[in-house]
Amino acid sequence: MKLKKQVTVCGAAIFCVAVFSLYLMLDRVQHDPARHQSGGNFPRSQISVLQNRIEQLEQLLEENHEIISHIKESVLELTAHADGQPVVLLPYRTPNGSWVLPPESRPSFFSISPQDCQFGLGSGGQKPDLQMLAVASVLPFDNQDGGVWKQGFDITYEPHEWDTEPLQVFVVPHSHNDPGWIKTFEKYFADQTQHILNSMVLKLQEDPRRRFIWSEISFFSKWWDNISTQKRAAVRRLVGSGQLEMVTGGWVMPDEANSHYFAMIDQLIEGHQWLEKNIGVTPRSGWAIDPFGHSATMPYLLRRANLTSMLIQRVHYAIKKHFAATHSLEFMWRQTWDPDSSTDIFCHMMPFYSYDVPHTCGPDPKICCQFDFKRLPGGRINCPWKVPPRAITEANVAERAHLLLDQYRKKSKLFRSKVLLVPLGDDFRYDKPQEWDAQFLNYQRLFDFLNAHPSLHVQAQFGTLSDYFDALSKRTGIVPGFKPPGFPVLSGDFFSYADREDHYWTGYYTSRPFYKSLDRVLEAHLRGAEILYSLALSHARHAGMDSRYPLSDYALLTEARRALGLFQHHDAITGTAKEAVVVDYGVRLLHSLVNLKRIISNAAHYLVLGEKESYHYDAAGPFLGTDDMRLNQDSLPEKTIIRLDTSPRFVVLFNPLEQERLSVVSLLVNSPRVRVLSEEGQPLAVQLSAQWSSATDMVPDVYQVSIMTRLPALGLSVLQLYKSFDSHSTLTSSVHIHLHGRDLPVRPREVFPVRVVPATSDDFCLDNQHMQACFSGLTGLLVPGAHALTACLACFLAEHPAGWGGAQAEQRVPHLWHQERQGQEWGLPLPAGWRRQGTGTQGPRSSWALRLVEGASGGLVGQRGPGRYTSPPSCLLHCVRLPLFLSQPYAPKEPPVVRVTEGPFFSEVASYYQHVQQVVRLYNVPGEGRAGWAVLCCRGWGHWCSAGSLAFHWQGRVR
């Protein structure tokens, strides 16, 4: 009571001082002699100044009154709380329109000592010899004709260079098997992969000198499940003897630009654990010949997985040429932040155009193709250079061996050692026994001749990838994994990739954004399901209730982990597979997502029960319902609408992070009369917003309820929702709709104040306690530079952190593909200033390119790479200007409808264009990661991309 009196006296004193100050000012003006001498008439300018000052004083008085009122309400609430009544500290709005939240009871940010983070120590270590940003800045990218090696240069050598140190050649047979591309995973396995692996077991056992490497464990595990015990034993013997090597050992050969590093780690663990369990082997060397560019994340992960060396292939041809000229194709790859070389891994970069046989034996593909014995006359494929291979006989072995040795020697001149790696394979090679015989028998005759003539100073043999790296380490006198003397250290990444001319493979950064988003959703649910399942199962075992818990959920977890791993394949998450294959991936992802929601529901049900003995698993009728559902693999999620009545509805929230978080959680309910209680029974402040079906239409009887709640680390929290007419803790959002001259009906509802602005181009701003975001009144985009921050760019950045190195921005050349399929182009309207290029007469491998017609500074904006199929980049082509990708802005026929929603916990701006919808949301929540803005969606033609969800939540009745 004493505090209440003090506050009242203080407020009255402030009010009196303000009024007295106003009185003195008016009195001084009235008694000014100069004004009396001029006849008592004030100049108009001075009257205007006086009026402005009076308005400012009135505004200050109003703000003081508002502050005093809130202080008074807080005192009353504290008094009521002391009497045993629950208290809600409500946000309030200041006269200038900003929402102010109650102060946090605990600090939101903590200081970090530099000793706690290596990054804080600065660059104390040795600088790398090659930094990719610096390399890119000096390259001319002029694409000069290099002769037989079109993208390189002429290579010469002296015949006696190997007299003192013979050339050691390792020919590494391999077969690159895409787990989905032109065919689905299952179709590839049935048609080709199982035959490759079956023949491998037989043909390797015929000669102990033969070698083979395999990478994709997804295919290998499926084959393993269908072979006999005797064949499994033979595989283990081949691995043990070194004839067969499992390289990288991941579930797939992942894309390195779109995949999140969590998923990259998961697929790597899944493959390594499978190998350890079934074959008893751990991979030593990495093999990445087909990802479209290479991230610095992958070498870090491989090194942490105890691999000591790796190989990459798809690097910009200009960089390959530069590295070949400077003998830098082999290097220690180091992280940019590493001060002590602990992340170093030895890397081999293949120097030529492709990983097929014509581009691996040496610089002249016309000659190398003659040593691809699958192309012998009479087969299904031949050499494009019109010179076919010839079977090796006693009559021609000398001539053929010298021709091949010349290519080996020229290739070796690009490297620092006299140990040479020559891959021998291509996509889905060795699928027939005849190819095994043709390749191995003919090459063995060549090797026998070369090795039998010491004057040639060469030793050639079949080998595995680790055979090569071990021989290199031995020749340079170091332990495998350590830096060979004189070899460079490199940091950075290898994006963007171009295989020839100006064919930049960057369209896949945004192709099929719907499935890129679905990948992230599944990844988040997988993490949540693994955590909750582990916690629930551990508790059930300690309580002796594991027999009543659904242990079968573990198999569903494994299936989901493998489905997510499969989608990290470099033709899956990239969006570069055929349409039927993409649908197959989508079905797998959705099936796993449904199973993960079931696992989460089962675990949350067990963990929230106070009496664990009452737990009963019912597969037919789950205790908790899910927060959303998807009808099909290409459907957008539909959020569950919670039906309120006077009895409580319970919502279970789960925080999958290892730290406590303060989050805004949004739910849909069927009534605006809602009251939300915390787990302790305390009422929570609620932001009530409309649910919109279009730019101007509200969904009837559906309301969005947003609550700010603190979630424990790796913990569950329960909210109670009631239908209540007590609106004290409910704060309604306000809405402004900018129609820009359109004659659209706006049907406001009593609950929400809606102000319609028929025509205006004035900019407006939203702010919170930490930042201010201003928007163009005409476009609804952020200003200044409204083109720079858009939904498409935010979706892109959110969906592939592993591959986008900010330091490499100069290399990101803007290129996209537009596909022609079966003679018909995609039926999508193009923005003004664009036209289609290409004839579409080259069969199924042709594509459409998009070019700017006039006023373009970026030149070509559309090539993806032959033989790769992409969906139309809906999130990009029909969005607004992206200076990093597009040189000309999206120009709609008419300005968008802009809807501005303002509330205490978040405010948002929704812009509705002809083809795309963008929503930018500004949060007003204290704490880590919430004092900023987020682009929530970029929607067009049924596609959706999202910057992420806040938490998992489910609703259900107490039984």
Side-chain angles (χ1 to χ4, degrees):
M1 196 64 183
K2 185 177 179 180
L3 177 61
K4 180 178 177 181
K5 290 181 179 179
Q6 291 176 349
V7 170
T8 305
V9 172
C10 181
I14 295 173
F15 179 80
C16 292
V17 170
V19 172
F20 186 67
S21 300
L22 178 61
Y23 172 78
L24 290 177
M25 178 177 290
L26 292 173
D27 184 70
R28 180 180 178 184
V29 169
Q30 291 175 354
H31 292 85
D32 191 339
R35 285 177 171 79
H36 287 290
Q37 291 175 5
S38 61
N41 295 323
F42 293 110
R44 290 184 177 273
S45 60
Q46 295 185 5
I47 294 176
S48 176
V49 171
L50 179 60
Q51 289 176 341
N52 290 337
R53 291 182 178 178
I54 292 174
E55 290 175 358
Q56 291 175 4
L57 287 172
E58 291 175 345
Q59 183 177 353
L60 289 173
L61 287 173
E62 186 179 351
E63 291 185 7
N64 289 336
H65 179 70
E66 187 82 14
I67 293 172
I68 292 172
S69 297
H70 284 289
I71 294 174
K72 182 178 179 180
E73 290 177 6
S74 300
V75 172
L76 292 175
E77 289 172 351
L78 289 172
T79 305
H81 183 58
D83 296 336
Q85 298 295 325
V87 60
V88 185
L89 293 179
L90 295 177
Y92 61 91
R93 201 166 190 176
T94 62
N96 66 2
S98 299
W99 283 94
V100 178
L101 297 180
E104 270 287 277
S105 59
R106 63 189 78 185
S108 299
F109 300 96
F110 300 92
S111 61
I112 299 177
S113 171
Q115 287 73 25
D116 294 336
C117 180
Q118 282 192 1
F119 203 69
L121 296 176
S123 54
Q126 181 182 1
K127 290 186 177 180
D129 304 297
L130 301 169
Q131 210 293 323
M132 289 311 302
L133 180 62
V135 171
S137 67
V138 300
L139 292 183
F141 293 97
D142 51 0
N143 192 27
Q144 295 185 3
D145 192 333
V148 294
W149 179 18
K150 303 291 290 184
Q151 299 171 334
F153 46 84
D154 186 39
I155 304 174
T156 60
Y157 62 87
E158 296 296 330
H160 301 290
E161 287 189 34
W162 293 270
D163 288 357
T164 58
E165 188 177 3
L167 181 64
Q168 189 174 7
V169 180
F170 288 90
V171 176
V172 180
H174 69 95
S175 179
H176 178 61
N177 284 236
D178 290 302
W181 175 31
I182 304 299
K183 303 177 184 178
T184 65
F185 173 79
E186 297 287 347
K187 184 67 172 173
Y188 270 138
F189 179 82
D191 292 352
Q192 292 163 283
T193 304
Q194 64 171 333
H195 305 303
I196 296 171
L197 294 172
N198 286 331
S199 297
M200 174 196 72
V201 178
L202 296 174
K203 295 301 179 179
L204 290 184
Q205 292 182 95
E206 291 180 1
D207 189 338
R209 295 174 295 179
R210 295 179 178 179
R211 300 289 186 271
F212 198 70
I213 63 173
W214 188 264
S215 175
E216 296 82 7
I217 305 303
S218 52
F219 274 131
F220 203 87
S221 66
K222 183 174 178 61
W223 172 72
W224 185 269
D225 292 338
N226 294 281
I227 62 176
S228 64
T229 304
Q230 292 79 9
K231 189 172 286 188
R232 290 181 180 181
V235 171
R236 293 190 183 100
R237 287 195 299 270
L238 291 172
V239 172
S241 66
Q243 286 187 260
L244 172 64
E245 182 184 9
M246 313 304 292
V247 289
T248 305
W251 201 245
V252 296
M253 186 182 293
D255 172 60
E256 300 180 23
N258 298 277
S259 294
H260 193 279
Y261 73 96
F262 275 19
M264 296 170 75
I265 294 171
D266 270 353
Q267 66 86 27
L268 192 63
I269 292 175
E270 190 65 26
H272 282 202
Q273 288 186 340
W274 189 94
L275 288 172
E276 178 65 29
K277 176 182 177 182
N278 293 279
I279 302 181
V281 65
T282 301
R284 296 175 51 205
S285 302
W287 176 262
I289 59 173
D290 205 23
F292 318 141
H294 296 278
S295 164
T297 301
M298 201 62 192
Y300 175 77
L301 298 181
L302 294 181
R303 186 67 190 92
R304 288 295 180 251
N306 289 325
L307 277 72
T308 57
S309 52
M310 62 181 296
L311 174 145
I312 60 176
Q313 153 60 22
R314 292 197 182 273
V315 174
H316 195 293
Y317 61 88
I319 294 176
K320 285 191 173 189
K321 178 180 179 179
H322 175 71
F323 279 19
T326 58
H327 300 92
S328 302
L329 290 166
E330 291 181 323
F331 49 85
M332 299 301 291
W333 201 343
R334 179 178 300 172
Q335 299 301 303
T336 55
W337 45 264
D338 182 7
D340 58 4
S341 72
S342 63
T343 61
D344 285 12
I345 185 171
F346 186 79
C347 182
H348 173 100
M349 180 188 296
M350 295 172 64
F352 305 125
Y353 170 77
S354 178
Y355 54 82
D356 60 1
V357 179
H359 297 93
T360 50
C361 88
D364 192 343
K366 179 179 179 180
I367 294 176
C368 290
C369 192
Q370 300 174 43
F371 294 90
D372 182 0
F373 296 103
K374 183 177 181 176
R375 303 174 191 256
L376 287 168
R380 292 188 299 113
I381 60 173
N382 52 35
C383 285
W385 297 270
K386 308 302 182 183
V387 182
R390 287 185 283 164
I392 305 302
T393 64
E394 290 293 334
N396 68 7
V397 63
E399 179 264 329
R400 306 308 290 173
H402 281 87
L403 184 63
L404 180 61
L405 178 59
D406 176 67
Q407 291 297 303
Y408 286 168
R409 286 175 171 174
K410 287 180 177 179
K411 183 177 181 179
S412 73
K413 289 290 292 180
L414 306 179
F415 296 89
R416 298 186 182 230
S417 78
K418 290 183 170 55
V419 183
L420 184 64
L421 173 66
V422 181
L424 182 66
D426 202 348
D427 291 354
F428 295 95
R429 282 301 189 91
Y430 303 95
D431 58 339
K432 291 180 172 56
Q434 294 83 350
E435 183 182 359
W436 285 88
D437 293 336
Q439 302 284 25
F440 279 95
L441 292 176
N442 283 290
Y443 266 98
Q444 193 60 57
R445 292 174 188 141
L446 291 168
F447 296 162
D448 290 343
F449 177 87
L450 293 172
N451 298 337
H453 292 77
S455 60
L456 297 177
H457 302 287
V458 61
Q459 178 188 352
Q461 63 193 72
F462 293 115
T464 64
L465 188 60
S466 291
D467 287 339
Y468 166 75
F469 286 124
D470 288 344
L472 177 62
S473 298
K474 183 178 180 180
R475 184 70 69 96
T476 55
I478 55 102
V479 176
F482 285 79
K483 179 180 178 293
F487 281 62
V489 175
L490 176 144
S491 68
D493 62 34
F494 297 100
F495 289 111
S496 298
Y497 167 61
D499 58 343
R500 57 192 173 94
E501 298 172 347
D502 52 7
H503 293 198
Y504 281 85
W505 294 40
T506 54
Y508 74 97
Y509 293 164
T510 52
S511 295
R512 293 190 167 109
F514 175 86
Y515 294 98
K516 286 175 167 63
S517 173
L518 185 57
D519 163 81
R520 293 298 197 267
V521 172
L522 181 64
E523 185 177 336
H525 279 75
L526 176 61
R527 173 178 168 82
E530 289 177 333
I531 293 170
L532 281 178
Y533 177 82
S534 301
L535 294 174
L537 182 60
S538 175
H539 191 286
R541 284 176 173 170
H542 281 87
M545 295 183 59
D546 49 323
S547 61
R548 299 169 59 181
Y549 193 81
L551 302 179
S552 58
D553 283 355
Y554 183 79
L556 300 179
L557 269 178
T558 301
E559 180 184 348
R561 200 179 298 118
R562 293 179 176 181
L564 180 66
L566 187 70
F567 195 66
Q568 306 314 304
H569 165 53
H570 55 265
D571 280 311
I573 192 173
T574 55
T576 56
K578 294 292 287 287
E579 183 68 24
V581 181
V582 173
V583 171
D584 181 67
Y585 287 133
V587 170
R588 292 172 184 269
L589 295 177
L590 179 61
H591 178 72
S592 294
L593 181 60
V594 171
N595 287 338
L596 290 176
K597 287 178 177 288
R598 170 183 161 186
I599 296 169
I600 291 171
S601 178
N602 292 338
H605 176 199
Y606 176 84
L607 291 170
V608 298
L609 287 177
E611 298 292 335
K612 296 295 191 287
E613 292 75 12
S614 64
Y615 176 77
H616 172 68
Y617 170 65
D618 184 2
F623 180 72
L624 297 172
T626 58
D627 59 338
D628 61 31
M629 63 177 298
R630 298 172 185 247
L631 297 178
N632 301 298
Q633 56 87 23
D634 57 352
S635 299
L636 295 175
E638 297 181 4
K639 295 195 70 173
T640 302
I641 301 174
I642 303 174
R643 304 292 173 181
L644 300 178
D645 53 35
T646 54
S647 60
R649 301 299 303 271
F650 293 85
V651 176
V652 181
L653 307 175
F654 173 53
N655 175 18
L657 300 183
E658 65 279 6
Q659 65 228 10
E660 186 184 69
R661 66 192 301 190
L662 186 66
S663 295
V664 173
V665 178
S666 295
L667 309 168
L668 295 185
V669 298
N670 67 332
S671 172
R673 311 299 181 184
V674 58
R675 192 177 190 212
V676 182
L677 302 182
S678 68
E679 197 165 352
E680 296 78 18
Q682 297 296 318
L684 299 176
V686 171
Q687 175 176 330
L688 188 68
S689 308
Q691 184 73 2
W692 299 86
S693 58
S694 68
T696 58
D697 293 327
M698 301 182 190
V699 179
D701 299 324
V702 178
Y703 306 88
Q704 185 181 84
V705 172
S706 300
I707 311 104
M708 186 173 66
T709 181
R710 187 171 289 278
L711 303 173
L714 301 176
L716 296 163
S717 182
V718 180
L719 301 180
Q720 302 177 50
L721 276 70
Y722 295 86
K723 187 173 184 179
S724 172
F725 289 92
D726 179 11
S727 60
H728 176 67
S729 59
T730 302
L731 302 166
T732 304
S733 303
S734 61
V735 180
H736 301 163
I737 299 179
H738 301 257
L739 295 179
H740 294 124
R742 297 194 196 183
D743 185 17
L744 296 175
V746 179
R747 289 176 283 273
R749 297 163 68 179
E750 294 181 1
V751 179
F752 302 102
V754 177
R755 183 167 65 90
V756 177
V757 182
T760 182
S761 59
D762 295 339
D763 294 350
F764 58 93
C765 297
L766 300 177
D767 56 15
N768 58 24
Q769 300 175 61
H770 305 280
M771 65 182 299
Q772 183 181 68
C774 293
F775 298 82
S776 166
L778 185 63
T779 66
L781 303 179
L782 286 163
V783 293
H787 56 278
L789 296 173
T790 66
C792 297
L793 181 56
C795 291
F796 163 63
L797 293 177
E799 289 180 354
H800 23 71
W804 182 268
Q808 301 295 322
E810 283 83 338
Q811 293 187 43
R812 320 296 192 216
V813 182
H815 294 266
L816 301 169
W817 269 100
H818 191 63
Q819 177 191 349
E820 181 207 20
R821 184 174 58 176
Q822 298 177 354
Q824 295 182 352
E825 57 183 297
W826 292 94
L828 302 176
L830 287 176
W834 296 79
R835 70 180 181 185
R836 298 181 178 88
Q837 296 249 341
T839 62
T841 60
Q842 300 179 7
R845 293 174 69 88
S846 64
S847 298
W848 284 97
L850 296 178
R851 295 178 184 269
L852 285 174
V853 180
E854 294 178 353
S857 60
L860 178 67
V861 291
Q863 293 203 7
R864 166 61 187 81
R868 303 293 181 183
Y869 295 79
T870 67
S871 68
S874 61
C875 193
L876 185 59
L877 284 182
H878 294 271
C879 214
V880 291
R881 180 188 295 180
L882 291 171
L884 194 61
F885 295 99
L886 307 182
S887 303
Q888 189 163 317
Y890 168 54
K893 295 180 180 179
E894 51 189 6
V897 175
V898 179
R899 187 182 67 240
V900 182
T901 302
E902 295 184 72
F905 297 147
F906 71 85
S907 299
E908 67 181 26
V909 177
S911 303
Y912 288 79
Y913 289 86
Q914 181 183 0
H915 305 108
V916 70
Q917 168 192 343
Q918 173 182 289
V919 179
V920 179
R921 177 172 291 183
L922 183 71
Y923 288 94
N924 191 26
V925 179
E928 312 84 354
R930 284 289 148 215
W933 65 278
V935 179
L936 296 183
C937 65
C938 175
R939 190 195 304 235
W941 308 293
H943 288 296
W944 173 278
C945 49
S946 171
S949 58
L950 296 177
F952 306 112
H953 46 277
W954 303 267
Q955 60 88 15
R957 291 185 180 272
V958 173
R959 299 180 179 177

